[in-house]
Amino acid sequence: MAASGPHRIGFLGGTFDPIHVGHLVAAVNVRYELALDVVLLVVANEPWQKVETRPVTPARDRLALVETAVEGFDGIEACSIEIDRGGVSYTADTVADLERIYPGAELSLVIGADVALQLGTWERIEEVRPKVSLVVVNRPGSAAVMPGEDGPLAGWKAEAVEIPALEISSTDLRDRAATGRPLDFLIPEPAIRLLRERSLYGGGR
Ligand code: ATP
Ligand code: MG
């Protein structure tokens, strides 16, 4: 996008397997608190930390669920750059792509507290650190992570944004789908319809 495009951009990367309201509540609240033009939900192509531990739903299906979930909602967008790039998804490459697509934009990398605690395991993290501001949102089940000199966020430009604590995870939703328990109100309704149409996550209703 040209210089007239969005200037303050947040991006929340994830497997979104599947998307749920925990992701969406985080995105809308960070967008509001930081007055961002847009928050991109960046769908991982191959989440390298997950593919070895469990089967991951095809990227195109996960993307379609995110697109359907945010359709018509202003300021939150599905983003396919990691899928378009193909291969294993590294945030360092995503940041480089975003810099190319949105030259001069300020990039805010939004992560949940569980991910903040794992930052040290990321590939080529030193390429990411100088290029983004971190925004850490609280997540039930994960210790609080505060910006500071001697925590996991040392060396990062970082801030915490408090969001409504929603104990919702894709792991639980996959289990719910597989065992036929309700997904209602945990995933936007049009996305539930799509995942059923595509027979994703096993189980019936
Ligand atoms: P899984 O259980 O498969 O790991 P997940 O629910 O953690 O799925 P991810 O796609 O792994 O979803 O998460 C993407 C990003 O969204 C991460 O930064 C994660 O911390 C954040 N996130 C996910 N769910 C919540 C939630 N309920 N509250 C706050 N942040 C969340
Ligand atoms: Mg997760």
Side-chain angles (χ1 to χ4, degrees):
M1 199 168 293
S4 59
H7 185 66
R8 291 173 58 77
I9 297 175
F11 65 110
L12 171 63
T15 310
F16 300 102
D17 194 12
I19 185 151
H20 54 69
V21 300
H23 301 127
L24 295 163
V25 167
V28 296
N29 283 281
V30 168
R31 177 170 182 253
Y32 173 79
E33 292 295 338
L34 273 61
L36 302 176
D37 296 318
V38 68
V39 173
L40 307 173
L41 303 178
V42 182
V43 180
N45 187 54
E46 277 179 41
W48 60 281
Q49 291 189 313
K50 282 181 180 162
V51 284
E52 284 163 21
T53 57
R54 66 171 179 84
V56 173
T57 304
R60 288 282 163 201
D61 287 323
R62 290 183 283 109
L63 175 66
L65 292 175
V66 174
E67 285 171 343
T68 303
V70 299
E71 199 176 336
F73 189 87
D74 240 18
I76 310 293
E77 289 177 14
C79 175
S80 65
I81 55 177
E82 293 188 347
I83 297 172
D84 301 340
R85 198 167 64 231
V88 179
S89 303
Y90 296 118
T91 301
D93 298 321
T94 300
V95 170
D97 282 349
L98 289 174
E99 285 187 327
R100 246 190 317 276
I101 299 167
Y102 305 104
E106 293 170 33
L107 299 176
S108 295
L109 169 51
V110 185
I111 54 177
D114 59 316
V115 170
L117 292 167
Q118 306 283 325
L119 262 188
T121 68
W122 284 18
E123 294 280 318
R124 288 152 48 215
I125 193 79
E126 65 288 349
E127 292 176 31
V128 180
R129 201 182 289 116
K131 296 179 174 176
V132 303
S133 300
L134 270 188
V135 183
V136 183
V137 298
N138 50 296
R139 183 165 192 190
S142 177
V145 180
M146 286 298 151
E149 282 308 302
D150 40 40
L153 307 184
W156 291 85
K157 182 165 178 251
E159 68 184 292
V161 169
E162 185 78 19
I163 61 168
L166 296 170
E167 195 160 4
I168 301 172
S169 70
S170 300
T171 300
D172 176 58
L173 285 161
R174 291 191 299 273
D175 191 58
R176 284 175 168 271
T179 55
R181 286 177 296 144
L183 308 176
D184 307 281
F185 305 108
L186 298 172
I187 299 177
E189 210 269 332
I192 296 178
R193 239 182 290 131
L194 182 65
L195 77 79
R196 291 199 170 126
E197 269 166 37
R198 295 193 180 188
S199 306
L200 302 173
Y201 305 108
R205 309 222 31 96

